[in-house]
Amino acid sequence: MLKQIGLTSAEDLFTSIPEDLRLNRNLNTPPALSELELLAAFEIRAERNRGASRPSFLGGGAYSHYIPTVVDHIISRSEFFTAYTPYQPEISQGTLQVIFEFQTLVCQLTGMEVANASMYDGSTALAEAVLMAERVTRRAKVIACGAVHPEYLDVVRTYVQHAGIDLQLVGWDEHTGQTSAVIADAIDSQTAAIVIQSPNFFGSVESVSALAEKAHTAGALLILVLTEAISLPFLRSPGACGADIVVAEGQSFGVPLSFGGPYLGLFATREKYARQIPGRLVGKAYDKEGNRGFVLTLATREQHIRREKATSNICTNEGLIALAATVYLETMGRRGLQEVASQCAQKAAYAARRIGEIDGFSLPFSAPRFNEFVVRAPSDATALLRRLSQEQEINGGIPLSRYYSDRPNEFLVCVTEVNSRNEIDRLVSGLEQCSR
Amino acid sequence: MLKQIGLTSAEDLFTSIPEDLRLNRNLNTPPALSELELLAAFEIRAERNRGASRPSFLGGGAYSHYIPTVVDHIISRSEFFTAYTPYQPEISQGTLQVIFEFQTLVCQLTGMEVANASMYDGSTALAEAVLMAERVTRRAKVIACGAVHPEYLDVVRTYVQHAGIDLQLVGWDEHTGQTSAVIADAIDSQTAAIVIQSPNFFGSVESVSALAEKAHTAGALLILVLTEAISLPFLRSPGACGADIVVAEGQSFGVPLSFGGPYLGLFATREKYARQIPGRLVGKAYDKEGNRGFVLTLATREQHIRREKATSNICTNEGLIALAATVYLETMGRRGLQEVASQCAQKAAYAARRIGEIDGFSLPFSAPRFNEFVVRAPSDATALLRRLSQEQEINGGIPLSRYYSDRPNEFLVCVTEVNSRNEIDRLVSGLEQCSR
Amino acid sequence: MNPRITKVTSHLNHNEALIFERSQMGRVGYRLPPLDVPKTADEELLPAELRREDDLEDLPEVSEVDVIRHFIRMSTWNYSIDLGMYPLGSCTMKYNSRLNEKVARIPGFAELHPLCPEEDSQGALEVIYELQEHLAEITGLPGVSLQPAAGAHGEMTGVMIIRAFIDARDGEGASALRRTMLIPDSAHGTNPASAHLSGFSVKSIRSTAEGVTDLKHLKQLCAEGDVAGFMLTNPNTLGLFESNIKEICRIVHDAGGLVYMDGANMNALVGVARPGDMGVDVIHLNLHKTFSTPHGGGGPGSGPCCCTKELEPLLPVPRIVKDSHDRYALDFNQPQSIGRVKAFFGNYGMMLRALAYIQTHGFDGLREATEAAVLNARYISHGLVSDYDKPFDRPPMHEVVFTDKWQSRKGVHTLDIAKRLIDYGFHPMTIYFPLIVQGAMLIEPTESVGHQELDQFIAAMRSIAQEAVEDPDLVLNAPHSTRIGRLDEAAAARKPVLRWKSNE
Amino acid sequence: MNPRITKVTSHLNHNEALIFERSQMGRVGYRLPPLDVPKTADEELLPAELRREDDLEDLPEVSEVDVIRHFIRMSTWNYSIDLGMYPLGSCTMKYNSRLNEKVARIPGFAELHPLCPEEDSQGALEVIYELQEHLAEITGLPGVSLQPAAGAHGEMTGVMIIRAFIDARDGEGASALRRTMLIPDSAHGTNPASAHLSGFSVKSIRSTAEGVTDLKHLKQLCAEGDVAGFMLTNPNTLGLFESNIKEICRIVHDAGGLVYMDGANMNALVGVARPGDMGVDVIHLNLHKTFSTPHGGGGPGSGPCCCTKELEPLLPVPRIVKDSHDRYALDFNQPQSIGRVKAFFGNYGMMLRALAYIQTHGFDGLREATEAAVLNARYISHGLVSDYDKPFDRPPMHEVVFTDKWQSRKGVHTLDIAKRLIDYGFHPMTIYFPLIVQGAMLIEPTESVGHQELDQFIAAMRSIAQEAVEDPDLVLNAPHSTRIGRLDEAAAARKPVLRWKSNE
Ligand SMILES: Cc1ncc(COP(=O)(O)O)c(C=O)c1O
Ligand SMILES: Cc1ncc(COP(=O)(O)O)c(C=O)c1O
């Protein structure tokens, strides 16, 4: 081939790169491995991830749920996972119809009117929601509850630092674990939005309707963020609560933990804000013969048309993960989603009750919960959990001190439908033993 | 739906079954398990298969070879694994072209002229070969070497017991491990075929050409059977050796061990016997516009047309496994097959040399080998291997006493490209220790 | 539509060549670890005359992405269950659960060598044992061997058991006079072929106008005194339950024969009725039908053989048994056994899937599946009865047979109807089987289709019936929607080309 | 061909409805284990006013086989890499190894919670660390963060680093005057959008007639004194290497700005040249391009950000570091960091695949891939130059741009050529990008195509050029081979329908 185009050596291909810029040595990366060797090497690393193969009560933004086997079969279809963004609708109807169904499902679950084709994850979706609230309201102040996932708040801070947004935090009520009532005082006519997570990072379900009312009275939006999307079938829908923008981490919908990603940002809002939404949207369209199909639409919001004036810089999103979620939601279906959600709530209630009964342990927050709750231990939680992990091979929870250095004895426990009663009972007795 | 067809209860569907024949109780099988529970139950069983996760030197008709990742991806395509036999060629061209390629590859590897679409496995393929030899020659006596895989000989015995075939066994040479020279005396004008395995059950490569000559001189066929098909790229091809029917176990071509099945019977012969072949054949065909396609052909040999006069009763064969083998062979390709075969031979040679050097151990058979060989231990092989398994977690080989009660101290060792030098060295030192 | 883009066009995906035509010298799609042992010289490994002679010339040389595209493209030329209803009568094309595929791939099973010592493969043996137990309960026949690799293989096993039983019972001389196997004229071709393999000659039993065994004919042939057995399919291949089954078994037994049941149609009976309770002596099942293991484009299957307590000692060896310590073991010590029918233990991967099927359905789910399968067939029967000739009046079980009698008046035959169905997105039904029904179309929906799909199927069939009247050419030239048209099978068989060659 | 069977016909596979249209009350596709803890009363769990209000009405109710058929059918409407060449310029649609998919699914990674203690996730952290090291070596830029989830996210991260650096260097007052980001007019839309997110205003740099940065214009704008940085793609989006890159960096640096490189086109450089050696300060990579992680129909991606030693303290937290005991740890103690850009550690699954890509290729394989990618683009360039207008003379790197100039004389435009290519079985190239080339067709073959396929592509393109002359309508009405024709996108945007509703 080189000869056919008149060249003599591979080096000739790179003549437009000045010679002094060419790398005249081999890359200092390792030599090639065969399949056999590569798999063996990764298996060895995998074994050093001791946390992966144990009963686990870790939540805090990433959840263990059962994933029906069909999900991986579908997302492993060549036609889905090796396709690009559906820019050519005639040969991308598969991807496009899936996204249309995904958008519909997100709307149904959140009780909202429009949803986009996905954001990177829950945290970036929240940051984009804050930016959008500023665009919509043309106000600069955003009030967030401190019980929003700390990593999400970090991401919001990063995103808004140069956007002229004044981000203010309000605390939580130490009795309930819900957003503090003082938030009402903070909302004013400069307020673009208040940001509430429910269930919040402590697992407390917030009084979203009441907060929405307060926001709306001041002309501000209510941004609701969820890290545990599987609570949607169980809790009053964000739409019914009056949320204006709903963002969520969709990982619970059939996506493996995978050490934190790729996950799935859900983004939904009211119809009237459709043209302010970040990211891709798929809409219905027809061909000349009247056949129904789907296309990417309202592209004038996006960076490839609008450039610096776009609603967001996002381009590649989480397509395949949105597919996984769509397969998950359709396989579980109406009744399956209700049952998963209800089992999570039931099992968490059982676990909370049992743990609360252990001598020296308590549950500091009183608000209603879904599947997460904070436990106060009689001693340092990090040490306790480490012992539990070493002696009982259980991941017992997330020490709050990871995020709140002033809460050394508390940890966050998450229980889902995959945790059997036996596992919960082992957790309880393990905590008992390790705290003695 | 019941109502739509005029019935009132599910029981009405079964009125044509006399009431006293209906089961008026629940089946005594277990209640339904969810996906989660089922997987957990099988995982627990899998853990009790301790033999599965260790360095292993077991062969004897089932071999550990590396399977490129693409194989499972392809055979998991819905369009392949959930299709039926390609009876409707217009919507089965995928399966049909694959089989045509498979037949070609089997011909190429065996050096034969025609091959079928697969038999159940190597053992039944051999039985069918014997039956075919009788049909082709109209002679009744078949002479098999005793060093053919004992389970294969058992299967042949079962198949031919009512076919009026006189199956005679000849032994092997205790020095070489090859078919005994006395076989020449046994061949006569009544002999339909002689059956030789090469490499044989002891790993000895037979002098196939010489045996073929002897058979042909008497007007008999030479049936060559292989249990280790990956030897084909390494050894003189059966076709070049003068074999008339070649059957083989194709498991080595990308098929997992899976506790013995499903495997893949290969069946190839000379063109002139094409109409005597058992099983399905795919051939080239054209449509009216001259487009090339493929169809099942020469169906008049088969049971659905010929009924009791068919060349075999086989109907369902090993389609998907033939696909796996086709993907394997095409992925490895010419050079990859040569390299796998050569690595097997090299590693086996190394292992044989090292084991032969251990005090008290010897290699009783002197014939050239491919990747298997018999080891004579200083004491009972079954006990030795059990100790090796318990203390070193190595599957060291197959005790010959499983099949030959008069050979208590010998065992069969198999080495393939997946056995690292480190594993081989551990085997050697393990044998040393356990025999002390 | 432009003619240039009909049928096999310049579109790459419709023109995937044979891999041999794509091969390019020097391309590779594999990578192995380097050899890590000291190299032995070639001459030392093997004398030259035993070495491969042709450098594997003509074997393909392609890259990994070539391989992927090659097979993915070809796959798109296939119909499959996952694309839609696959109503092949007698084939029971039901949904193949993804979960069962996952189970079969668990490394502790997939990487287990069949000759591992028993103590190191207890989990695998337990699976065999449990499946045996469940199949015994489902069929009502307590002796079970999972060794046969497919239905026909199970038939051979079962018929050999009959032969061995009679040989032992009657002694050499007397049994030599009992070499006739009775088989209905509607039977599947594997039945006579399997009977032949056991040294039986076959006599055909007529079916009545109602589509069931002609008892008079059966009695008459039984009276001849040479009957070793009767191979019956029930429900039979017309989808009708042989209501006289008890009487049939009595007649055969009285005549000194045994009753073999072809269990290919067990999808109509699981949880509802048991062959063992009907008097059947031995049966084979098709795990790749009733128990949903995938057909894989022609296999693998698994054809367990189940029999009465009396016949159990004749089953193939090794038997998989449970000892007094709840340990699973191989039992080779069965002197009456017909012998081994396959190396190792049978198509083990299929057993894993079938056990998973039974366990995920549960006893109630198994029965519900049967009910749905029969209901769906009835629904189709009901939906098509005014558009197609239905030769038998009795209500069908899990499959229903129609004919092309009415359409053939316009020159449209079963084959044409089948091909036209393809254009509607359905796989055709089984055609021209059973042989006793002229222009048969045997339709088996299975339980894996919903109401909507059944209605779509009925609508398609009715539409074709209408086309057969209004525009017969449209049907006669079908299919129109496929990569290629009807292929000339006669020419293909006349001068068969069964492999690619480099010089052609 | 009969009109009834063209385009969306009665063929089921072409008419798969929305799942909501297939839903039937009472069908289920799931089964969960029964609740095994004592049940808490609903009222106790949650006050009624907090409970879900609508019983999830309208959510689908379908069986598992419905789900499978639904998605398998829809999948067949997609083109994909596995079906053939996907020459989207700037997108680097290369083969996605099956092996890498398998690696990402190893349970020890797939089931690992991101908040597992460090000591229980050492293997996972090692993967991140190793990949960081390799990317540092490949780019010549030692500071690496894998947190960004895609290219645009990496851009934002990189530009924020520039901003933070300048803010810190210049102090509040002075830095407020430095708020201009220079971006070539040929740049990808994400570049200005990302710059905007960091509070920069964008000034556009002209490209020369030769297709590279106009140095004069650059100098002129730099002279204005407010330049914070320059975002350059190299090779640029026309597939041309910016040979003046060193000079460019010097100019920008001298003007007090930093140089950002959009690394989307690194597939032309890996193993051949390193941005760090050219003077670039910060870059993002697209693992979903250069390092072959699958595009997944739009994502997920991964957009690592690599920078100089000097900028490293500004990277997002946590950093993944190796301590003196060879243990991997999270380092949050980075006071200069721009902060976190994503929860947890980024799109971890993509990192596994990218590391597998680097390790299976080896250092030599990485370079060979680059050579093949460039060679293939050159070959296409050579093969099409007499049939299509090639606006830039310089030899292209890994992608080449043509235009519709010659065809548009007959009314055939880039869009039509693209659509017609579909009928030949190819995915179209990138069209109308970069914006500065009228009727641009940007073709990037990548290394994952063989000689044969390149020839087929060239033949198809030449054939279309001929059709454009001989039968323009054929091209103007393309595609003809797809389920649906061109869709009315304008109408769709005018009255957008973005979801299904039960009453519509
Ligand atoms: C009625 C009947 N009997 C026997 C068989 C043979 O089964 P197999 O194909 O598994 O050998 C079939 C399968 O086609 C059948 O339909
Ligand atoms: C040149 C260039 N820059 C940036 C991007 C944005 O990358 P991503 O889509 O991963 O956000 C792309 C991808 O389309 C690109 O081609």
Side-chain angles (χ1 to χ4, degrees), chain A residues 84 120 315-316, chain D residues 90 150-152 155 188 190-191 233 237 262 264 284 286 288-289:
Chain A
Y84 198 70
Y120 301 140
C315 177
T316 291
Chain D
S90 206
E155 291 172 21
H188 194 264
T190 49
N191 293 0
T233 310
T237 60
D262 179 332
H284 83 265
N286 295 54
H288 47 303
K289 297 180 178 176

PDB file of all heavy atoms in Angstrom, chain A residues 84 120 315-316, chain D residues 90 150-152 155 188 190-191 233 237 262 264 284 286 288-289, ligand 2:
ATOM      1  N   TYR A  84     -21.874   4.774  16.668  1.00  0.00           N
ATOM      2  CA  TYR A  84     -21.566   6.136  17.113  1.00  0.00           C
ATOM      3  C   TYR A  84     -22.871   6.839  17.462  1.00  0.00           C
ATOM      4  O   TYR A  84     -23.961   6.288  17.320  1.00  0.00           O
ATOM      5  CB  TYR A  84     -20.837   6.888  15.989  1.00  0.00           C
ATOM      6  CG  TYR A  84     -20.114   8.118  16.480  1.00  0.00           C
ATOM      7  CD1 TYR A  84     -18.983   7.998  17.283  1.00  0.00           C
ATOM      8  CD2 TYR A  84     -20.569   9.392  16.167  1.00  0.00           C
ATOM      9  CE1 TYR A  84     -18.324   9.125  17.761  1.00  0.00           C
ATOM     10  CE2 TYR A  84     -19.912  10.523  16.643  1.00  0.00           C
ATOM     11  CZ  TYR A  84     -18.790  10.382  17.439  1.00  0.00           C
ATOM     12  OH  TYR A  84     -18.140  11.503  17.906  1.00  0.00           O
ATOM     13  N   TYR A 120     -23.377  12.995  32.004  1.00  0.00           N
ATOM     14  CA  TYR A 120     -22.302  12.086  32.412  1.00  0.00           C
ATOM     15  C   TYR A 120     -22.675  11.261  33.636  1.00  0.00           C
ATOM     16  O   TYR A 120     -22.439  10.063  33.689  1.00  0.00           O
ATOM     17  CB  TYR A 120     -21.028  12.856  32.760  1.00  0.00           C
ATOM     18  CG  TYR A 120     -20.457  13.703  31.645  1.00  0.00           C
ATOM     19  CD1 TYR A 120     -19.941  14.963  31.919  1.00  0.00           C
ATOM     20  CD2 TYR A 120     -20.398  13.230  30.329  1.00  0.00           C
ATOM     21  CE1 TYR A 120     -19.382  15.742  30.915  1.00  0.00           C
ATOM     22  CE2 TYR A 120     -19.847  14.018  29.319  1.00  0.00           C
ATOM     23  CZ  TYR A 120     -19.343  15.279  29.617  1.00  0.00           C
ATOM     24  OH  TYR A 120     -18.787  16.048  28.637  1.00  0.00           O
ATOM     25  N   CYS A 315     -20.993  16.722  24.715  1.00  0.00           N
ATOM     26  CA  CYS A 315     -21.104  16.145  23.370  1.00  0.00           C
ATOM     27  C   CYS A 315     -21.347  14.653  23.595  1.00  0.00           C
ATOM     28  O   CYS A 315     -22.486  14.222  23.776  1.00  0.00           O
ATOM     29  CB  CYS A 315     -19.842  16.452  22.577  1.00  0.00           C
ATOM     30  SG  CYS A 315     -19.779  15.739  20.932  1.00  0.00           S
ATOM     31  N   THR A 316     -20.291  13.837  23.681  1.00  0.00           N
ATOM     32  CA  THR A 316     -20.452  12.446  24.084  1.00  0.00           C
ATOM     33  C   THR A 316     -21.164  12.416  25.428  1.00  0.00           C
ATOM     34  O   THR A 316     -20.783  13.133  26.353  1.00  0.00           O
ATOM     35  CB  THR A 316     -19.059  11.789  24.205  1.00  0.00           C
ATOM     36  OG1 THR A 316     -18.498  11.683  22.901  1.00  0.00           O
ATOM     37  CG2 THR A 316     -19.146  10.410  24.849  1.00  0.00           C
TER      38      THR A 316
ATOM     39  N   SER D  90     -12.765  12.703  12.652  1.00  0.00           N
ATOM     40  CA  SER D  90     -12.685  13.291  13.978  1.00  0.00           C
ATOM     41  C   SER D  90     -13.217  12.350  15.055  1.00  0.00           C
ATOM     42  O   SER D  90     -13.060  12.620  16.235  1.00  0.00           O
ATOM     43  CB  SER D  90     -13.462  14.620  14.044  1.00  0.00           C
ATOM     44  OG  SER D  90     -12.926  15.429  15.056  1.00  0.00           O
ATOM     45  N   ALA D 150     -15.585  12.643  29.402  1.00  0.00           N
ATOM     46  CA  ALA D 150     -15.603  12.673  27.936  1.00  0.00           C
ATOM     47  C   ALA D 150     -14.670  13.783  27.492  1.00  0.00           C
ATOM     48  O   ALA D 150     -14.078  14.476  28.329  1.00  0.00           O
ATOM     49  CB  ALA D 150     -17.019  12.906  27.417  1.00  0.00           C
ATOM     50  N   GLY D 151     -14.547  13.917  26.187  1.00  0.00           N
ATOM     51  CA  GLY D 151     -13.641  14.918  25.650  1.00  0.00           C
ATOM     52  C   GLY D 151     -13.976  16.321  26.124  1.00  0.00           C
ATOM     53  O   GLY D 151     -13.108  17.044  26.633  1.00  0.00           O
ATOM     54  N   ALA D 152     -15.232  16.689  25.988  1.00  0.00           N
ATOM     55  CA  ALA D 152     -15.629  18.047  26.370  1.00  0.00           C
ATOM     56  C   ALA D 152     -15.378  18.294  27.853  1.00  0.00           C
ATOM     57  O   ALA D 152     -15.007  19.395  28.260  1.00  0.00           O
ATOM     58  CB  ALA D 152     -17.108  18.267  26.038  1.00  0.00           C
ATOM     59  N   GLU D 155     -11.834  18.952  28.278  1.00  0.00           N
ATOM     60  CA  GLU D 155     -11.557  20.325  27.847  1.00  0.00           C
ATOM     61  C   GLU D 155     -11.867  21.305  28.969  1.00  0.00           C
ATOM     62  O   GLU D 155     -11.068  22.191  29.297  1.00  0.00           O
ATOM     63  CB  GLU D 155     -12.435  20.698  26.645  1.00  0.00           C
ATOM     64  CG  GLU D 155     -12.094  19.979  25.370  1.00  0.00           C
ATOM     65  CD  GLU D 155     -13.135  20.270  24.293  1.00  0.00           C
ATOM     66  OE1 GLU D 155     -13.851  21.295  24.389  1.00  0.00           O
ATOM     67  OE2 GLU D 155     -13.246  19.457  23.354  1.00  0.00           O
ATOM     68  N   HIS D 188     -13.584  22.147  16.924  1.00  0.00           N
ATOM     69  CA  HIS D 188     -14.806  21.457  17.307  1.00  0.00           C
ATOM     70  C   HIS D 188     -15.609  22.350  18.245  1.00  0.00           C
ATOM     71  O   HIS D 188     -15.031  23.111  19.020  1.00  0.00           O
ATOM     72  CB  HIS D 188     -14.418  20.153  18.017  1.00  0.00           C
ATOM     73  CG  HIS D 188     -15.549  19.202  18.179  1.00  0.00           C
ATOM     74  ND1 HIS D 188     -16.290  19.131  19.327  1.00  0.00           N
ATOM     75  CD2 HIS D 188     -16.069  18.276  17.338  1.00  0.00           C
ATOM     76  CE1 HIS D 188     -17.220  18.191  19.186  1.00  0.00           C
ATOM     77  NE2 HIS D 188     -17.108  17.654  17.995  1.00  0.00           N
ATOM     78  N   THR D 190     -17.148  21.883  20.913  1.00  0.00           N
ATOM     79  CA  THR D 190     -16.953  21.777  22.354  1.00  0.00           C
ATOM     80  C   THR D 190     -15.882  22.737  22.854  1.00  0.00           C
ATOM     81  O   THR D 190     -15.934  23.152  24.011  1.00  0.00           O
ATOM     82  CB  THR D 190     -16.545  20.344  22.740  1.00  0.00           C
ATOM     83  OG1 THR D 190     -15.474  19.926  21.894  1.00  0.00           O
ATOM     84  CG2 THR D 190     -17.709  19.382  22.572  1.00  0.00           C
ATOM     85  N   ASN D 191     -14.918  23.086  22.012  1.00  0.00           N
ATOM     86  CA  ASN D 191     -13.828  23.952  22.483  1.00  0.00           C
ATOM     87  C   ASN D 191     -14.340  25.309  22.952  1.00  0.00           C
ATOM     88  O   ASN D 191     -14.097  25.700  24.097  1.00  0.00           O
ATOM     89  CB  ASN D 191     -12.751  24.137  21.410  1.00  0.00           C
ATOM     90  CG  ASN D 191     -11.993  22.846  21.105  1.00  0.00           C
ATOM     91  OD1 ASN D 191     -12.255  21.804  21.691  1.00  0.00           O
ATOM     92  ND2 ASN D 191     -11.058  22.898  20.190  1.00  0.00           N
ATOM     93  N   THR D 233      -6.198  22.057  17.971  1.00  0.00           N
ATOM     94  CA  THR D 233      -6.315  20.628  17.707  1.00  0.00           C
ATOM     95  C   THR D 233      -5.175  20.260  16.767  1.00  0.00           C
ATOM     96  O   THR D 233      -4.944  20.963  15.797  1.00  0.00           O
ATOM     97  CB  THR D 233      -7.680  20.322  17.052  1.00  0.00           C
ATOM     98  OG1 THR D 233      -8.703  20.941  17.823  1.00  0.00           O
ATOM     99  CG2 THR D 233      -7.924  18.833  16.981  1.00  0.00           C
ATOM    100  N   THR D 237      -8.510  19.736  12.648  1.00  0.00           N
ATOM    101  CA  THR D 237      -9.716  19.036  12.222  1.00  0.00           C
ATOM    102  C   THR D 237      -9.796  18.870  10.700  1.00  0.00           C
ATOM    103  O   THR D 237     -10.740  18.272  10.196  1.00  0.00           O
ATOM    104  CB  THR D 237     -10.979  19.764  12.719  1.00  0.00           C
ATOM    105  OG1 THR D 237     -10.965  21.075  12.176  1.00  0.00           O
ATOM    106  CG2 THR D 237     -10.999  19.818  14.235  1.00  0.00           C
ATOM    107  N   ASP D 262      -6.425  20.056  21.950  1.00  0.00           N
ATOM    108  CA  ASP D 262      -7.522  19.102  21.855  1.00  0.00           C
ATOM    109  C   ASP D 262      -6.932  17.818  21.276  1.00  0.00           C
ATOM    110  O   ASP D 262      -6.476  17.783  20.136  1.00  0.00           O
ATOM    111  CB  ASP D 262      -8.603  19.683  20.942  1.00  0.00           C
ATOM    112  CG  ASP D 262      -9.800  18.759  20.757  1.00  0.00           C
ATOM    113  OD1 ASP D 262      -9.626  17.513  20.858  1.00  0.00           O
ATOM    114  OD2 ASP D 262     -10.899  19.265  20.504  1.00  0.00           O
ATOM    115  N   ALA D 264      -8.244  15.012  20.463  1.00  0.00           N
ATOM    116  CA  ALA D 264      -9.169  14.089  19.775  1.00  0.00           C
ATOM    117  C   ALA D 264      -8.489  13.386  18.614  1.00  0.00           C
ATOM    118  O   ALA D 264      -8.903  12.296  18.218  1.00  0.00           O
ATOM    119  CB  ALA D 264     -10.402  14.843  19.282  1.00  0.00           C
ATOM    120  N   HIS D 284      -6.450  17.156  26.425  1.00  0.00           N
ATOM    121  CA  HIS D 284      -7.325  16.051  26.826  1.00  0.00           C
ATOM    122  C   HIS D 284      -7.199  14.976  25.760  1.00  0.00           C
ATOM    123  O   HIS D 284      -6.914  15.241  24.593  1.00  0.00           O
ATOM    124  CB  HIS D 284      -8.792  16.481  26.980  1.00  0.00           C
ATOM    125  CG  HIS D 284      -9.553  16.498  25.689  1.00  0.00           C
ATOM    126  ND1 HIS D 284      -9.717  17.639  24.926  1.00  0.00           N
ATOM    127  CD2 HIS D 284     -10.191  15.500  25.015  1.00  0.00           C
ATOM    128  CE1 HIS D 284     -10.418  17.347  23.845  1.00  0.00           C
ATOM    129  NE2 HIS D 284     -10.716  16.062  23.860  1.00  0.00           N
ATOM    130  N   ASN D 286      -9.243  11.423  24.180  1.00  0.00           N
ATOM    131  CA  ASN D 286     -10.523  10.726  24.153  1.00  0.00           C
ATOM    132  C   ASN D 286     -10.221   9.234  24.159  1.00  0.00           C
ATOM    133  O   ASN D 286      -9.834   8.669  23.129  1.00  0.00           O
ATOM    134  CB  ASN D 286     -11.328  11.068  22.894  1.00  0.00           C
ATOM    135  CG  ASN D 286     -11.733  12.527  22.845  1.00  0.00           C
ATOM    136  OD1 ASN D 286     -10.892  13.408  22.964  1.00  0.00           O
ATOM    137  ND2 ASN D 286     -13.019  12.767  22.695  1.00  0.00           N
ATOM    138  N   HIS D 288     -12.275   7.049  24.190  1.00  0.00           N
ATOM    139  CA  HIS D 288     -13.264   6.444  23.289  1.00  0.00           C
ATOM    140  C   HIS D 288     -12.942   6.713  21.831  1.00  0.00           C
ATOM    141  O   HIS D 288     -13.696   6.339  20.962  1.00  0.00           O
ATOM    142  CB  HIS D 288     -14.670   6.912  23.647  1.00  0.00           C
ATOM    143  CG  HIS D 288     -14.792   8.404  23.866  1.00  0.00           C
ATOM    144  ND1 HIS D 288     -14.045   9.085  24.777  1.00  0.00           N
ATOM    145  CD2 HIS D 288     -15.594   9.320  23.296  1.00  0.00           C
ATOM    146  CE1 HIS D 288     -14.377  10.370  24.750  1.00  0.00           C
ATOM    147  NE2 HIS D 288     -15.298  10.532  23.856  1.00  0.00           N
ATOM    148  N   LYS D 289     -11.854   7.341  21.560  1.00  0.00           N
ATOM    149  CA  LYS D 289     -11.387   7.439  20.182  1.00  0.00           C
ATOM    150  C   LYS D 289     -10.061   6.690  20.097  1.00  0.00           C
ATOM    151  O   LYS D 289     -10.015   5.529  19.711  1.00  0.00           O
ATOM    152  CB  LYS D 289     -11.231   8.906  19.763  1.00  0.00           C
ATOM    153  CG  LYS D 289     -12.559   9.631  19.783  1.00  0.00           C
ATOM    154  CD  LYS D 289     -12.454  11.084  19.370  1.00  0.00           C
ATOM    155  CE  LYS D 289     -13.870  11.678  19.384  1.00  0.00           C
ATOM    156  NZ  LYS D 289     -13.893  13.100  19.088  1.00  0.00           N
TER     157      LYS D 289
HETATM  158  C1  LIG E   2     -12.002  17.451  17.661  1.00  0.00           C
HETATM  159  C2  LIG E   2     -12.902  17.099  18.780  1.00  0.00           C
HETATM  160  N1  LIG E   2     -12.812  17.731  19.950  1.00  0.00           N
HETATM  161  C3  LIG E   2     -13.619  17.434  20.989  1.00  0.00           C
HETATM  162  C4  LIG E   2     -14.558  16.463  20.897  1.00  0.00           C
HETATM  163  C5  LIG E   2     -15.471  16.227  22.062  1.00  0.00           C
HETATM  164  O1  LIG E   2     -15.292  14.987  22.678  1.00  0.00           O
HETATM  165  P1  LIG E   2     -16.475  14.306  23.440  1.00  0.00           P
HETATM  166  O2  LIG E   2     -17.547  14.016  22.478  1.00  0.00           O
HETATM  167  O3  LIG E   2     -15.874  13.102  24.029  1.00  0.00           O
HETATM  168  O4  LIG E   2     -16.972  15.237  24.499  1.00  0.00           O
HETATM  169  C6  LIG E   2     -14.684  15.752  19.699  1.00  0.00           C
HETATM  170  C7  LIG E   2     -15.645  14.648  19.588  1.00  0.00           C
HETATM  171  O5  LIG E   2     -16.557  14.566  18.875  1.00  0.00           O
HETATM  172  C8  LIG E   2     -13.842  16.070  18.609  1.00  0.00           C
HETATM  173  O6  LIG E   2     -13.955  15.438  17.462  1.00  0.00           O
END
